[in-house]
Amino acid sequence: MRYEKGHKEATRKHILDVASRRFRKDGIAATGLACIMKDAGLTNGAFYAHFPSKAALVEEVLITSLEDFNNEFVSRLGENVSQLHEFIRVYLGTEHRDEPKSGCPTSALVAEIGRAPKPIRKAYTTSIEDFFGRVSESMNGTDPALARQQGIALFALAIGSLQLARAVTDKQLSEEIMQAGIEVAIKFTA
């Protein structure tokens, strides 16, 4: 059966999108290839026409999803400070907390990435290094080393706040954690 031009690339992108959402929702270890392919509306055998292994899929998902997130975050740094503050409020908002499948890949997966095989951690490291470099470049008028340090601190604060807010069962405490993260991040970037 012949497919139209671009079919294979579109199918590969679809698998990446489905896997990205599923990994962020359920975790990498808890997500099997059969589940991803079923969600994608494809057979298990079709997977290997696009990726040699689950590890290769995880690497590519991390690279593409981090690139998307990084582009959005860095674009906010180049805008006025109120735009950055709005991004912080959205990042540490109820919707992002409750819908990890469509949110930041780092906040959803960083604990698993830390225990992943070295090639996956290396792909993540490369992406996060690129992110921190772009953050320091986008903060005009700031010493690049200081901008990098501030970008790392802001990112770590936001991720830690979101992970803690997701981990607790008490909704009021979860809201308190997110609000504290928002207030500190805004003071830090004011």
Side-chain angles (χ1 to χ4, degrees):
M1 176 179 203
R2 291 190 155 235
Y3 293 102
E4 62 186 64
K5 187 177 180 177
H7 174 77
K8 185 170 183 175
E9 187 57 38
T11 301
R12 180 183 176 82
K13 182 177 178 349
H14 181 60
I15 294 168
L16 284 167
D17 292 343
V18 168
S20 180
R21 285 190 305 276
R22 183 57 80 162
F23 289 156
R24 286 183 273 179
K25 179 180 181 277
D26 297 331
I28 296 167
T31 302
L33 293 180
C35 177
I36 292 167
M37 297 308 284
K38 181 180 178 191
D39 286 358
L42 300 165
T43 64
N44 291 351
F47 175 82
Y48 294 100
H50 301 280
F51 303 95
S53 65
K54 181 179 177 183
L57 173 66
V58 171
E59 282 182 49
E60 194 157 339
V61 163
L62 285 175
I63 290 166
T64 58
S65 61
L66 283 167
E67 185 177 305
D68 292 345
F69 173 79
N70 296 352
N71 288 338
E72 183 179 358
F73 185 86
V74 170
S75 73
R76 299 296 177 115
L77 291 175
E79 297 173 5
N80 64 45
V81 75
S82 66
Q83 290 290 331
L84 175 59
H85 291 173
E86 180 57 28
F87 184 80
I88 291 166
R89 286 185 187 92
V90 170
Y91 189 92
L92 293 175
T94 305
E95 185 176 336
H96 191 208
R97 178 197 63 202
D98 296 345
E99 292 294 330
K101 70 182 178 188
S102 58
C104 172
T106 296
S107 64
L109 300 172
V110 74
E112 278 191 276
I113 294 167
R115 293 185 295 272
K118 192 170 184 172
I120 292 171
R121 290 183 19 244
K122 192 169 185 157
Y124 179 78
T125 300
T126 300
S127 293
I128 207 74
E129 275 289 345
D130 176 60
F131 172 65
F132 292 140
R134 291 176 61 203
V135 166
S136 65
E137 289 170 7
S138 69
M139 296 175 77
N140 297 328
T142 305
D143 170 58
L146 178 60
R148 179 181 168 88
Q149 181 184 46
Q150 290 174 336
I152 291 170
L154 178 60
F155 194 57
L157 169 68
I159 288 167
S161 297
L162 188 58
Q163 286 186 311
L164 285 172
R166 285 177 175 162
V168 299
T169 58
D170 182 325
K171 289 291 184 191
Q172 185 175 346
L173 176 58
S174 179
E175 294 290 334
E176 187 179 356
I177 291 167
M178 290 190 309
Q179 190 57 44
I182 289 168
E183 290 178 20
V184 170
I186 287 175
K187 285 178 187 172
F188 181 72
T189 58

